[in-house]
Amino acid sequence: MDYGMLSLLPPVVALLLCFLTKEVISSLFIGVLVGGMLVNKGNIFSAIASTWDWSSNQLLNKWQAEYFLFLFVVGGAIGLMYKLGGGTALVQKLEKKVQNSNKSQILIGLLGILVFFNEYANTAIVGTAAKSLSDKNRLSREKFSYLLDSTSSPVSGLAPISDWAGYQTNTIAVALTAFGSLGVSAYTIWIRSIPYMFYCWFAIALVFIIAITGFDYGPMKKAEFRAREEGKLLADGAIPAGNVEAEVGEVSNKHLSIWTFIVPVVALIGIALFGMWYTGGGTSAESFAQALGNSDTAAALLWGAFGMTITCIIFGLVWRIMTFKEMMETFMQGAKTMFVAFLLMVFAWALKAACDAVGTADYTVNLVLPLVENAPFILPVMVFLVCMLLSFALGTSWGTMAIISPIALPLVLNVTNLQVNPLVYATVGAVLSGSIFGDHCSPISDTTIVSSTFAGSDHMAHVNTQIPYAFTAAGVSILGYLLMMIRIPWFIILPAGVVLLYFVVRLFAKQSAKRYNLAQVTPLYGAK
């Protein structure tokens, strides 16, 4: 059945309610219910049944079940590591060099770039590593979750060796199957599209511009002033998506050692990377990047989280920091902190199932993409806008890539008479970076939810403070694609865009300072 414009109702209702009520779980549920009402022609009882069917099916999918287990196991492991005092020991080591809030932001950004191979692992590892330091230097939880989010998907999307590289290459290869040999591989097309992933580049650049200058703006400025001046890392009444400290209790001071942080994190990284390589084909894969692209990421992360847990238990027993019973209790308390994230994930993915049932993606694509058939030069910017809209509404970047790539690539190749040229690379880059926009800032995106969870931030507070930054990077990206229409090359657009970002951020910070009656530059906390 063709639902036409009504197919937009499930995501639109869910998103509007998220922003109006600040109650994400109930908003997502209502969005799913609206989809059920459409599918069942207004029968409320059948709609409720469909809502719970779509929700329960998320627990039956192997990948999603493994990912839920990963959340709980890594939550327990983080609880153990926190209680063992690894984070406290790390802060004591770093506090002499990272002595203020600006340096903390720069360090978190750099750590996010270093952990490039998977966005979930990135958020879990950097969130765990930097949380104590972030709190000590009075970064608001909103800012901390923004830093995690902005160096997860945007970084992984650009990395030549990551699960994103493999997945994006596969979506390109599938889209090219009807054209036979073009004289260039799908992986080569993806590599050459990296300079055109403007949103990823500008989102990462924005992190460091704000960290260095202190030019916060929008709701983030209020959050940062609250944290710096009042010491309130969370707003009054905020509900953290994850709160290890409250559940686990005080850190044990029996044997503070940085090794109780380093070894578990290395175990998580090493085992997860090995698991991704192994499940992606191992020695039978053509390359490490291909193995990562074909991997069972959720299973690999679950293995890594289990390894992290075992190393924490070994440290706790060998150094007699806790008894085995105390460690099991701590593990369960840590796992409990992931329950809110679990519910958010279930209903976010259920909303995606409802959108699939009513054809939200097909309607959006068929409405917009035909507009470019007679104006191929605007193809990259139009594709970017479509991917922004779709990924924000559906909360999935990979799903958006899978939907748009088989449409956009044949369209641009027909325009170029099967010549693989910069217009093709720009279109591919627009698909990928536009898809990452929604993954970066949509309230129903799994990456956004995970960032809130590992930062210990209220989820909608994270979304509301991050959206102005995301739209700033997206606006400069749109300008970049428009400049391509007059044949300005990417190697001029990228540096010019970074310079423009600086002046735009400075202007917005000045306007926010007047609006909120605050200083233009966020105050520094700690030594200069």
Side-chain angles (χ1 to χ4, degrees), residues 326-486:
E326 288 173 335
M327 283 190 287
M328 289 300 97
E329 290 173 350
T330 300
F331 178 86
M332 293 305 297
Q333 292 299 320
K336 282 169 58 179
T337 65
M338 298 297 166
F339 186 68
V340 173
F342 165 74
L343 288 178
L344 288 170
M345 291 287 196
V346 168
F347 289 121
W349 282 334
L351 180 63
K352 170 63 167 58
C355 290
D356 290 343
V358 298
T360 304
D362 290 339
Y363 176 78
T364 305
V365 170
N366 293 331
L367 180 69
V368 180
L369 280 186
L371 299 176
V372 305
E373 290 181 348
N374 298 319
F377 55 87
I378 67 168
L379 187 59
V381 71
M382 289 301 294
V383 164
F384 181 73
L385 290 169
V386 170
C387 290
M388 279 181 63
L389 173 64
L390 198 57
S391 61
F392 190 85
L394 299 181
T396 168
S397 54
W398 284 25
T400 302
M401 293 177 211
I403 292 165
I404 300 297
S405 293
I407 299 170
L409 265 69
L411 188 60
V412 71
L413 284 169
N414 285 325
V415 166
T416 63
N417 295 316
L418 302 185
Q419 297 298 310
V420 181
N421 59 24
L423 182 61
V424 174
Y425 305 140
T427 302
V428 171
V431 170
L432 305 180
S433 61
S435 299
I436 285 175
F437 169 83
D439 190 74
H440 182 204
C441 67
S442 172
I444 59 176
S445 161
D446 50 1
T447 309
T448 309
I449 293 167
V450 170
S451 297
S452 298
T453 302
F454 285 101
S457 172
D458 181 284
H459 182 56
M460 284 310 298
H462 166 45
V463 172
N464 288 328
T465 52
Q466 177 167 267
I467 277 182
Y469 291 3
F471 273 95
T472 301
V476 177
S477 300
I478 291 169
L479 180 60
Y481 290 118
L482 290 173
L483 290 174
M484 285 195 60
M485 292 164 49
I486 55 176

Side-chain angles (χ1 to χ4, degrees), residues 3-20 23-24 26-39 54 347-364 388-396 400 403 442-445 460:
Y3 295 94
M5 188 175 290
L6 292 176
S7 66
L8 298 176
L9 277 178
V12 168
V13 167
L15 291 169
L16 281 176
L17 288 175
C18 280
F19 287 107
L20 291 174
E23 295 291 338
V24 185
S26 57
S27 299
L28 291 174
F29 181 85
I30 293 170
V32 180
L33 184 62
V34 168
M37 293 286 286
L38 289 173
V39 169
W54 286 325
F347 289 121
W349 282 334
L351 180 63
K352 170 63 167 58
C355 290
D356 290 343
V358 298
T360 304
D362 290 339
Y363 176 78
T364 305
M388 279 181 63
L389 173 64
L390 198 57
S391 61
F392 190 85
L394 299 181
T396 168
T400 302
I403 292 165
S442 172
I444 59 176
S445 161
M460 284 310 298

Side-chain angles (χ1 to χ4, degrees), residues 82-130:
Y82 173 80
K83 191 84 170 183
L84 292 172
T88 302
L90 179 68
V91 170
Q92 292 175 353
K93 289 285 186 182
L94 292 177
E95 62 186 1
K96 293 181 180 179
K97 294 183 179 180
V98 185
Q99 296 177 320
N100 60 49
S101 49
N102 286 19
K103 289 181 179 179
S104 294
Q105 293 179 66
I106 294 170
L107 176 64
I108 293 167
L110 292 174
L111 288 174
I113 292 172
L114 288 174
V115 188
F116 56 82
F117 58 88
N118 175 268
E119 77 276 22
Y120 300 130
N122 176 302
T123 306
I125 292 165
V126 179
T128 303

Side-chain angles (χ1 to χ4, degrees), residues 98-259:
V98 185
Q99 296 177 320
N100 60 49
S101 49
N102 286 19
K103 289 181 179 179
S104 294
Q105 293 179 66
I106 294 170
L107 176 64
I108 293 167
L110 292 174
L111 288 174
I113 292 172
L114 288 174
V115 188
F116 56 82
F117 58 88
N118 175 268
E119 77 276 22
Y120 300 130
N122 176 302
T123 306
I125 292 165
V126 179
T128 303
K131 192 173 185 181
S132 298
L133 188 65
S134 171
D135 289 354
K136 183 180 184 300
N137 285 321
R138 289 195 180 183
L139 294 186
S140 66
R141 291 291 175 82
E142 293 94 330
K143 173 58 76 66
F144 186 35
S145 53
Y146 159 72
L147 295 171
L148 295 181
D149 213 345
S150 298
T151 54
S152 57
S153 297
V155 169
S156 297
L158 293 172
I161 299 177
S162 69
D163 56 339
W164 282 72
Y167 180 80
Q168 292 173 132
T169 300
N170 288 339
T171 62
I172 295 168
V174 169
L176 297 178
T177 51
F179 294 93
S181 176
L182 295 173
V184 61
S185 69
Y187 185 71
T188 300
I189 292 176
W190 176 74
I191 287 290
R192 293 177 181 175
S193 75
I194 290 177
Y196 300 95
M197 297 181 195
F198 294 152
Y199 180 77
C200 298
W201 290 111
F202 294 143
I204 296 167
L206 191 59
V207 166
F208 292 98
I209 290 172
I210 292 172
I212 293 168
T213 63
F215 288 153
D216 287 298
Y217 55 94
M220 186 72 82
K221 179 176 278 291
K222 292 176 66 177
E224 285 290 84
F225 270 78
R226 181 199 71 229
R228 300 288 198 284
E229 296 183 345
E230 301 175 40
K232 292 183 178 179
L233 305 183
L234 288 161
D236 294 335
I239 302 174
N243 193 354
V244 173
E245 298 90 338
E247 293 289 345
V248 172
E250 295 294 323
V251 172
S252 172
N253 291 313
K254 290 183 179 179
H255 196 297
L256 289 181
S257 170
I258 195 171
W259 293 109

